[in-house]
Amino acid sequence: MDYLEITGGKKLSGSISIGGAKNAALPVIAAAILSDQPTEIENLPNVVDIRTLLRLLDILGAKVEHEGNSVRIDAGSIRSTRAVYEIVSQMRASILVLGPLLTRFGECEVSLPGGCAIGQRPIDLHLKALEAMGAKIEIKGGYVHAVAPEGGLQGAKVIFDKISVGATENTLMAAAMAHGVTEIINAAREPEIVQLCEMLQAGGVTIEGIGTGRLSVHGSGGAPLHYNKPISIIPDRIEEGTYLCAGAITYSTVTLERINPEHLQSTIDKLETMGCHCDVQGDRVTLFPPNGRLKEVHIVTAEYPGFPTDMQAQFMAVATIASNESLIEERLFENRFMHVSELNRLGADIWLKGNVAAVRPVDQLYGADVMATDLRASSALVLAALAAEGTTRVRRIYHLDRGYEDLQGKLAALGADIQRKKSQA
Ligand code: EPZ
């Protein structure tokens, strides 16, 4: 099994390019199912989760031609509407095929996602929304069995008790081919949702309220969508935030290219609170480290445009060497502090009380062997290793490969001493 060996204490410098967003690409790929013509997608991040979803579409019978950061998907040849456990258990976001399969084919079976390191992550909101549109849903043998009413899903008023990115995406895609108008109230407003709305609009669907918490989707009444132009995936705001944190934790000046600064506001705001300066020029941002020591930060994770939970672990790593105690409250996932004990192995001093972490300042982190537990936790361990004295070995980096394209290569390009190695075991 591969691991990363990082010798810390090196300053970083230079610039790197940011890739397409995994969490935008996944629903865009799923939305290809809504068309019976080829769909072209560009600026795709070449990461494991993307390849897993493309494999699922291939198993369903779609023609998938994937090359590097582009893919051509012809969902006209789909022959199966059963999303198997073998794939869904590897990546819970596969649940995003539920809405498109049901609305296009009137019936489907999708494996329940199962457990996740960061929380229970139920899909009740997804199912409730589809039932509101007339679907009959049954959970049996670990699968969701969904059947649309005769003639197809019907437009409906969907009110979410809680903001959910995935449930909003599944409902949008189901509504895109439904009969009539679907109103989604308390919808998620993430940039990834906006990209999906713009894709569906390009496919012929009218959507009002894009970017707000209230969406109205005028369904095509059963007609498949046609995406006549390639869809280019938006930059990955979490990848951007991760590399800006790499600059901050090593007190380095780094530049990121091909970013969307608008999507980065809350991250930049917190880095500036810690004493960094972020200079935005068009689609580039340069982080300048603080003159003195990094300052403490107080973070409460929230839905967009609030502070992203997917940046919580990375900021915790930076806060370990700040001048005073930082408080980090995780409000979206009930078990997203798996990185705490591993950061403490690197010499951090973090205490947990319920969903709040108190990150007490230490002067120095020290290299050690640590274990990755989930995607963002693993990137936090890499950041801490960059600042640590000595060598760190980060194991189980398959978590990293799920959502970061060539993280090791990009950090090495910025001057980090980082190698990917194979363990004997
Ligand atoms: C998306 O997950 C992202 N994944 C996550 O990123 C991200 O952390 C999350 O949104 C929040 O921003 C993808 O886009 C593929 P939610 P999703 O539904 O859609 C609860 C990463 O690191 N909930 O918005 O699964 C849920 O348990 C990943 O890239 C229900 O209770 O998140 C959670 O507490 C990790 N019932 C909250 O809502 C439901 O039916 C938000 O979850 C659905 C969700």
Side-chain angles (χ1 to χ4, degrees):
M1 209 191 286
D2 288 11
Y3 64 94
L4 285 176
E5 187 164 281
I6 302 164
T7 300
K10 306 250 173 332
K11 283 258 186 253
L12 306 182
S13 62
S15 69
I16 52 169
S17 262
I18 293 298
K22 165 183 78 79
N23 292 348
L26 292 167
V28 163
I29 290 170
I33 295 171
L34 298 170
S35 178
D36 57 0
Q37 308 279 320
T39 302
E40 290 183 22
I41 307 171
E42 296 164 350
N43 198 35
L44 207 59
N46 198 352
V47 296
V48 171
D49 278 7
I50 296 297
R51 294 195 290 273
T52 303
L53 188 57
L54 291 175
R55 205 162 69 245
L56 176 56
L57 266 70
D58 178 67
I59 292 171
L60 296 174
K63 279 200 216 70
V64 178
E65 294 155 44
H66 179 207
E67 212 163 318
N69 299 104
S70 303
V71 68
R72 186 171 187 276
I73 299 168
D74 185 348
S77 55
I78 285 183
R79 290 288 165 274
S80 161
T81 58
R82 183 177 164 83
V84 292
Y85 174 75
E86 288 67 32
I87 298 277
V88 180
S89 58
Q90 288 171 41
M91 186 198 50
R92 50 179 312 105
S94 313
I95 195 72
L96 292 175
V97 302
L98 176 62
L101 284 174
L102 180 60
T103 199
R104 168 121 185 256
F105 298 101
E107 180 165 4
C108 65
E109 291 174 309
V110 177
S111 168
L112 278 172
C116 172
I118 66 175
Q120 198 208 335
R121 302 182 76 177
I123 58 163
D124 56 316
L125 299 173
H126 300 236
L127 304 183
K128 220 172 113 213
L130 296 176
E131 283 173 333
M133 301 170 77
K136 289 266 168 299
I137 303 247
E138 203 192 351
I139 310 271
K140 213 164 86 201
Y143 277 77
V144 177
H145 298 257
V147 183
E150 193 65 36
L153 293 177
Q154 300 298 314
K157 191 176 214 172
V158 173
I159 305 175
F160 285 130
D161 307 335
K162 194 175 186 171
I163 295 176
S164 158
V165 171
T168 302
E169 291 166 343
N170 248 329
T171 309
L172 274 167
M173 292 187 276
M177 281 182 66
H179 296 266
V181 178
T182 299
E183 271 201 271
I184 309 176
I185 295 158
N186 203 21
R189 293 181 281 160
E190 272 67 5
E192 297 77 29
I193 301 277
V194 172
Q195 166 128 67
L196 178 61
C197 288
E198 288 166 355
M199 176 186 182
L200 298 174
Q201 286 226 128
V205 178
T206 302
I207 303 179
E208 287 140 19
I210 296 180
T212 75
R214 198 183 180 106
L215 299 167
S216 292
V217 185
H218 299 251
S220 71
L225 310 190
H226 296 142
Y227 311 110
N228 302 324
K229 289 208 196 83
I231 293 114
S232 182
I233 301 296
I234 58 172
D236 192 324
R237 61 196 169 98
I238 307 300
E239 188 193 18
E240 292 162 8
T242 303
Y243 288 112
L244 289 178
C245 284
I249 203 169
T250 56
Y251 288 85
S252 309
T253 300
V254 296
T255 297
L256 308 183
E257 292 165 0
R258 300 183 63 199
I259 67 145
N260 183 325
E262 203 193 304
H263 300 163
L264 213 45
Q265 278 316 307
S266 56
T267 295
I268 288 179
D269 174 51
K270 290 299 177 190
L271 284 166
E272 301 216 326
T273 303
M274 298 186 88
C276 301
H277 170 59
C278 294
D279 175 37
V280 175
Q281 302 289 338
D283 67 349
R284 293 159 61 98
V285 58
T286 298
L287 176 129
F288 296 94
N291 297 328
R293 190 162 170 183
L294 284 161
K295 296 198 198 98
E296 69 279 9
V297 67
H298 291 171
I299 284 173
V300 179
T301 64
E303 298 84 3
Y304 191 86
F307 184 88
T309 172
D310 296 348
M311 283 304 303
Q312 177 256 99
Q314 298 91 317
F315 267 82
M316 188 181 287
V318 181
T320 58
I321 56 169
S323 48
N324 285 305
E325 179 175 284
S326 298
L327 287 178
I328 297 182
E329 183 174 346
E330 174 55 57
R331 286 204 181 155
L332 266 77
F333 293 104
E334 64 275 21
N335 189 35
R336 200 167 205 181
F337 282 144
M338 301 287 279
H339 39 284
V340 168
S341 48
E342 297 302 307
L343 287 171
N344 283 346
R345 286 181 55 73
L346 292 165
D349 183 10
I350 307 168
W351 295 77
L352 288 181
K353 191 150 182 26
N355 65 341
V356 178
V359 186
R360 298 189 179 149
V362 298
D363 296 335
Q364 179 66 61
L365 299 174
Y366 297 93
D369 285 287
V370 291
M371 196 80 81
T373 48
D374 61 77
L375 171 60
R376 308 304 171 184
S378 36
S379 66
L381 300 181
V382 171
L383 295 179
L386 294 173
E389 188 179 298
T391 300
T392 297
R393 279 172 288 282
V394 183
R395 299 188 187 280
R396 295 192 184 163
I397 53 171
Y398 52 81
H399 288 292
L400 271 173
D401 296 338
R402 294 189 54 178
Y404 290 96
E405 181 172 349
D406 192 22
L407 177 128
Q408 176 238 335
K410 290 189 180 183
L411 285 174
L414 290 173
D417 182 345
I418 179 169
Q419 279 145 44
R420 189 177 183 113
K421 293 191 170 178
K422 285 199 180 317
S423 62
Q424 307 316 318

